Amino acid sequence: DVKVTQSSRYLVKRTGEKVFLECVQDMDHENMFWYRQDPGLGLRLIYFSYDVKMKEKGDIPEGYSVSREKKERFSLILESASTNQTSMYLCASREGGNSGNTIYFGEGSWLTVV
Amino acid sequence: AQSVTQLDSQVPVFEEAPVELRCNYSSSVSVYLFWYVQYPNQGLQLLLKYLSGSTLVESINGFEAEFNKSQTSFHLRKPSVHISDTAEYFCAVSDSPYVAYDKVIFGPGTSLSVIP
């Protein structure tokens, strides 16, 4: 089975702190994604990466950056956390070559910024 | 750009009753369509998808969805729901099937609550 592991399930951070959310997948997938999930808004794409060191902005990249130095790991960085970044963050991966391939999700990281 | 509409944010239904969760997407030449399910405190997982061929697709747990190109819809149905079907359901679309790294657009989700 594909496994996407997010390092932290629950985090509480202070406004202005730098926050790292780590994600690792074990299926050698080329594509990786970071989504933000909020009630009534569904999933919104923050960034995606289609290969190592490659990244593309999603729909809501402001206030976030990403890093993909190794194929299995995709990190989301909040440079200076703000209260409006309190949310559930979902990492996902997908085999490359066809956008019809299944996306596999991690269990999510609940981030609260106070 | 593609968009996905799920008109019903919450759907309560009694156990063993039928259910339909509605999904519409904005027009495109060709699309891939997906339904993902999120059980409480878990990430999303694929329920079923339409890529090509038969317009009716089925999942292993009794759900089915029909691709209707003229109505740009991909409604999800189950003839008899169980308590274990209580979850959030997300419709999603990929509007550039032949682009290897095309992003997938998700709808806002429908919360299905099955009442004993």
Side-chain angles (χ1 to χ4, degrees):
Chain A
D1 282 350
V2 175
K3 192 161 181 65
V4 179
T5 303
Q6 296 183 228
S7 56
S8 303
R9 285 301 305 272
Y10 302 96
L11 304 94
V12 180
K13 298 292 181 180
R14 295 193 181 279
T15 300
E17 277 192 81
K18 191 169 186 175
V19 181
F20 293 87
L21 299 179
E22 306 285 347
C23 175
V24 176
Q25 51 96 2
D26 65 357
M27 282 302 292
D28 202 37
H29 285 169
E30 288 83 1
N31 303 161
M32 294 190 74
F33 308 83
W34 275 105
Y35 289 91
R36 170 175 171 162
Q37 183 179 6
D38 298 287
L41 297 177
L43 276 69
R44 293 180 292 168
L45 183 64
I46 305 172
Y47 268 97
F48 70 100
S49 168
Y50 50 91
D51 207 342
V52 176
K53 296 188 186 290
M54 308 301 286
K55 60 185 179 183
E56 291 284 337
K57 292 181 179 180
D59 300 315
I60 53 166
E62 297 78 18
Y64 304 94
S65 62
V66 290
S67 172
R68 191 158 181 213
E69 296 296 318
K70 294 184 178 181
K71 193 173 187 179
E72 68 271 17
R73 187 179 298 273
F74 192 36
S75 303
L76 180 69
I77 303 154
L78 286 67
E79 296 290 342
S80 177
S82 63
T83 54
N84 63 11
Q85 293 179 309
T86 291
S87 187
M88 160 80 105
Y89 291 87
L90 288 166
C91 176
S93 73
R94 179 182 69 187
E95 184 177 355
N98 187 330
S99 59
N101 290 333
T102 299
I103 298 176
Y104 294 89
F105 286 85
E107 292 192 329
S109 297
W110 284 98
L111 172 65
T112 301
V113 183
V114 298
Chain B
Q2 275 285 1
S3 64
V4 179
T5 303
Q6 293 181 248
L7 289 174
D8 306 304
S9 59
Q10 296 183 353
V11 174
V13 63
F14 285 104
E15 192 174 14
E16 298 183 4
V19 70
E20 179 179 78
L21 307 183
R22 296 179 291 171
C23 172
N24 289 88
Y25 59 95
S26 52
S27 179
S28 181
V29 176
S30 62
V31 294
Y32 290 158
L33 293 158
F34 310 82
W35 277 98
Y36 283 82
V37 59
Q38 184 179 34
Y39 298 105
N41 298 315
Q42 295 185 24
L44 281 73
Q45 56 187 263
L46 180 72
L47 187 61
L48 48 77
K49 62 181 174 182
Y50 169 79
L51 302 183
S52 65
S54 172
T55 58
L56 185 66
V57 290
E58 299 177 350
S59 72
I60 58 173
N61 58 352
F63 282 94
E64 65 178 28
E66 186 160 19
F67 168 54
N68 188 319
K69 188 174 183 178
S70 63
Q71 297 186 7
T72 60
S73 68
F74 191 55
H75 301 332
L76 181 70
R77 294 187 290 263
K78 189 171 185 179
S80 176
V81 295
H82 301 126
I83 295 291
S84 59
D85 294 324
T86 294
E88 190 89 14
Y89 291 80
F90 293 92
C91 182
V93 61
S94 171
D95 69 344
S96 301
Y98 306 109
V99 176
Y101 49 85
D102 180 45
K103 58 185 182 181
V104 173
I105 307 301
F106 285 82
T110 296
S111 178
L112 174 64
S113 298
V114 180
I115 305 163

PDB file of all heavy atoms in Angstrom, chain B residues 1 10-11 16 25 43 47 57 75 83 102-103 106-107:
ATOM      1  N   ALA B   1     -10.381  28.135 -16.403  1.00  0.00           N
ATOM      2  CA  ALA B   1      -9.999  27.112 -15.452  1.00  0.00           C
ATOM      3  C   ALA B   1     -11.237  26.356 -14.982  1.00  0.00           C
ATOM      4  O   ALA B   1     -12.328  26.894 -14.926  1.00  0.00           O
ATOM      5  CB  ALA B   1      -9.294  27.747 -14.248  1.00  0.00           C
ATOM      6  N   GLN B  10     -24.533  19.374   3.185  1.00  0.00           N
ATOM      7  CA  GLN B  10     -24.836  18.327   4.154  1.00  0.00           C
ATOM      8  C   GLN B  10     -26.017  17.503   3.659  1.00  0.00           C
ATOM      9  O   GLN B  10     -27.012  18.064   3.199  1.00  0.00           O
ATOM     10  CB  GLN B  10     -25.156  18.931   5.531  1.00  0.00           C
ATOM     11  CG  GLN B  10     -23.986  19.673   6.154  1.00  0.00           C
ATOM     12  CD  GLN B  10     -24.308  20.185   7.550  1.00  0.00           C
ATOM     13  OE1 GLN B  10     -25.448  20.095   7.995  1.00  0.00           O
ATOM     14  NE2 GLN B  10     -23.311  20.687   8.236  1.00  0.00           N
ATOM     15  N   VAL B  11     -25.886  16.198   3.774  1.00  0.00           N
ATOM     16  CA  VAL B  11     -26.974  15.298   3.376  1.00  0.00           C
ATOM     17  C   VAL B  11     -27.199  14.287   4.496  1.00  0.00           C
ATOM     18  O   VAL B  11     -26.378  13.393   4.705  1.00  0.00           O
ATOM     19  CB  VAL B  11     -26.647  14.559   2.062  1.00  0.00           C
ATOM     20  CG1 VAL B  11     -27.721  13.526   1.743  1.00  0.00           C
ATOM     21  CG2 VAL B  11     -26.510  15.555   0.916  1.00  0.00           C
ATOM     22  N   GLU B  16     -30.055   2.378   5.235  1.00  0.00           N
ATOM     23  CA  GLU B  16     -30.688   1.536   4.216  1.00  0.00           C
ATOM     24  C   GLU B  16     -31.491   2.319   3.175  1.00  0.00           C
ATOM     25  O   GLU B  16     -32.055   1.722   2.262  1.00  0.00           O
ATOM     26  CB  GLU B  16     -31.549   0.435   4.851  1.00  0.00           C
ATOM     27  CG  GLU B  16     -30.756  -0.530   5.714  1.00  0.00           C
ATOM     28  CD  GLU B  16     -31.587  -1.667   6.281  1.00  0.00           C
ATOM     29  OE1 GLU B  16     -32.787  -1.745   5.933  1.00  0.00           O
ATOM     30  OE2 GLU B  16     -31.040  -2.469   7.045  1.00  0.00           O
ATOM     31  N   TYR B  25     -19.415  20.217 -12.928  1.00  0.00           N
ATOM     32  CA  TYR B  25     -18.142  20.860 -13.216  1.00  0.00           C
ATOM     33  C   TYR B  25     -18.339  21.791 -14.403  1.00  0.00           C
ATOM     34  O   TYR B  25     -19.282  21.673 -15.157  1.00  0.00           O
ATOM     35  CB  TYR B  25     -17.056  19.823 -13.492  1.00  0.00           C
ATOM     36  CG  TYR B  25     -17.361  18.916 -14.661  1.00  0.00           C
ATOM     37  CD1 TYR B  25     -16.886  19.198 -15.925  1.00  0.00           C
ATOM     38  CD2 TYR B  25     -18.164  17.789 -14.490  1.00  0.00           C
ATOM     39  CE1 TYR B  25     -17.189  18.392 -16.999  1.00  0.00           C
ATOM     40  CE2 TYR B  25     -18.485  16.978 -15.555  1.00  0.00           C
ATOM     41  CZ  TYR B  25     -17.996  17.277 -16.811  1.00  0.00           C
ATOM     42  OH  TYR B  25     -18.316  16.478 -17.868  1.00  0.00           O
ATOM     43  N   GLY B  43      -7.208  11.153   6.212  1.00  0.00           N
ATOM     44  CA  GLY B  43      -7.009  11.826   4.932  1.00  0.00           C
ATOM     45  C   GLY B  43      -8.007  11.327   3.908  1.00  0.00           C
ATOM     46  O   GLY B  43      -8.831  10.457   4.189  1.00  0.00           O
ATOM     47  N   LEU B  47     -12.504   6.966  -4.091  1.00  0.00           N
ATOM     48  CA  LEU B  47     -13.681   6.102  -4.080  1.00  0.00           C
ATOM     49  C   LEU B  47     -13.894   5.492  -5.467  1.00  0.00           C
ATOM     50  O   LEU B  47     -14.063   4.289  -5.613  1.00  0.00           O
ATOM     51  CB  LEU B  47     -14.902   6.914  -3.669  1.00  0.00           C
ATOM     52  CG  LEU B  47     -16.211   6.185  -3.423  1.00  0.00           C
ATOM     53  CD1 LEU B  47     -16.065   5.172  -2.297  1.00  0.00           C
ATOM     54  CD2 LEU B  47     -17.319   7.192  -3.094  1.00  0.00           C
ATOM     55  N   VAL B  57     -19.413   4.194 -13.577  1.00  0.00           N
ATOM     56  CA  VAL B  57     -18.291   3.587 -12.865  1.00  0.00           C
ATOM     57  C   VAL B  57     -18.743   3.208 -11.467  1.00  0.00           C
ATOM     58  O   VAL B  57     -19.617   3.848 -10.886  1.00  0.00           O
ATOM     59  CB  VAL B  57     -17.075   4.530 -12.798  1.00  0.00           C
ATOM     60  CG1 VAL B  57     -16.455   4.685 -14.165  1.00  0.00           C
ATOM     61  CG2 VAL B  57     -17.451   5.888 -12.234  1.00  0.00           C
ATOM     62  N   HIS B  75     -22.699  12.679 -10.737  1.00  0.00           N
ATOM     63  CA  HIS B  75     -23.375  12.446  -9.467  1.00  0.00           C
ATOM     64  C   HIS B  75     -23.031  11.067  -8.897  1.00  0.00           C
ATOM     65  O   HIS B  75     -22.915  10.084  -9.635  1.00  0.00           O
ATOM     66  CB  HIS B  75     -24.887  12.562  -9.635  1.00  0.00           C
ATOM     67  CG  HIS B  75     -25.340  13.904 -10.142  1.00  0.00           C
ATOM     68  ND1 HIS B  75     -24.643  15.061  -9.906  1.00  0.00           N
ATOM     69  CD2 HIS B  75     -26.438  14.247 -10.877  1.00  0.00           C
ATOM     70  CE1 HIS B  75     -25.275  16.090 -10.470  1.00  0.00           C
ATOM     71  NE2 HIS B  75     -26.363  15.615 -11.065  1.00  0.00           N
ATOM     72  N   ILE B  83     -24.281   2.782   8.105  1.00  0.00           N
ATOM     73  CA  ILE B  83     -23.708   3.718   9.073  1.00  0.00           C
ATOM     74  C   ILE B  83     -22.263   4.041   8.723  1.00  0.00           C
ATOM     75  O   ILE B  83     -21.808   5.176   8.846  1.00  0.00           O
ATOM     76  CB  ILE B  83     -23.781   3.136  10.491  1.00  0.00           C
ATOM     77  CG1 ILE B  83     -25.233   2.972  10.946  1.00  0.00           C
ATOM     78  CG2 ILE B  83     -23.013   4.016  11.483  1.00  0.00           C
ATOM     79  CD1 ILE B  83     -25.948   4.279  11.193  1.00  0.00           C
ATOM     80  N   ASP B 102      -0.784  17.901 -14.502  1.00  0.00           N
ATOM     81  CA  ASP B 102      -1.968  18.717 -14.331  1.00  0.00           C
ATOM     82  C   ASP B 102      -2.491  18.630 -12.897  1.00  0.00           C
ATOM     83  O   ASP B 102      -2.469  17.569 -12.291  1.00  0.00           O
ATOM     84  CB  ASP B 102      -3.054  18.229 -15.286  1.00  0.00           C
ATOM     85  CG  ASP B 102      -4.322  19.032 -15.158  1.00  0.00           C
ATOM     86  OD1 ASP B 102      -4.232  20.266 -15.098  1.00  0.00           O
ATOM     87  OD2 ASP B 102      -5.392  18.419 -15.076  1.00  0.00           O
ATOM     88  N   LYS B 103      -2.950  19.726 -12.369  1.00  0.00           N
ATOM     89  CA  LYS B 103      -3.491  19.702 -11.021  1.00  0.00           C
ATOM     90  C   LYS B 103      -4.949  19.279 -11.059  1.00  0.00           C
ATOM     91  O   LYS B 103      -5.620  19.397 -12.076  1.00  0.00           O
ATOM     92  CB  LYS B 103      -3.349  21.072 -10.362  1.00  0.00           C
ATOM     93  CG  LYS B 103      -4.024  22.191 -11.098  1.00  0.00           C
ATOM     94  CD  LYS B 103      -3.723  23.519 -10.416  1.00  0.00           C
ATOM     95  CE  LYS B 103      -4.435  24.668 -11.117  1.00  0.00           C
ATOM     96  NZ  LYS B 103      -4.145  25.967 -10.482  1.00  0.00           N
ATOM     97  N   PHE B 106     -10.699  20.302  -6.610  1.00  0.00           N
ATOM     98  CA  PHE B 106     -11.671  19.661  -5.730  1.00  0.00           C
ATOM     99  C   PHE B 106     -12.870  20.571  -5.470  1.00  0.00           C
ATOM    100  O   PHE B 106     -12.739  21.799  -5.416  1.00  0.00           O
ATOM    101  CB  PHE B 106     -11.018  19.318  -4.384  1.00  0.00           C
ATOM    102  CG  PHE B 106     -10.097  18.128  -4.447  1.00  0.00           C
ATOM    103  CD1 PHE B 106      -8.793  18.270  -4.890  1.00  0.00           C
ATOM    104  CD2 PHE B 106     -10.541  16.876  -4.076  1.00  0.00           C
ATOM    105  CE1 PHE B 106      -7.939  17.182  -4.963  1.00  0.00           C
ATOM    106  CE2 PHE B 106      -9.701  15.771  -4.141  1.00  0.00           C
ATOM    107  CZ  PHE B 106      -8.399  15.933  -4.591  1.00  0.00           C
ATOM    108  N   GLY B 107     -14.026  19.950  -5.294  1.00  0.00           N
ATOM    109  CA  GLY B 107     -15.208  20.674  -4.869  1.00  0.00           C
ATOM    110  C   GLY B 107     -15.176  20.942  -3.377  1.00  0.00           C
ATOM    111  O   GLY B 107     -14.275  20.474  -2.679  1.00  0.00           O
TER     112      GLY B 107
END
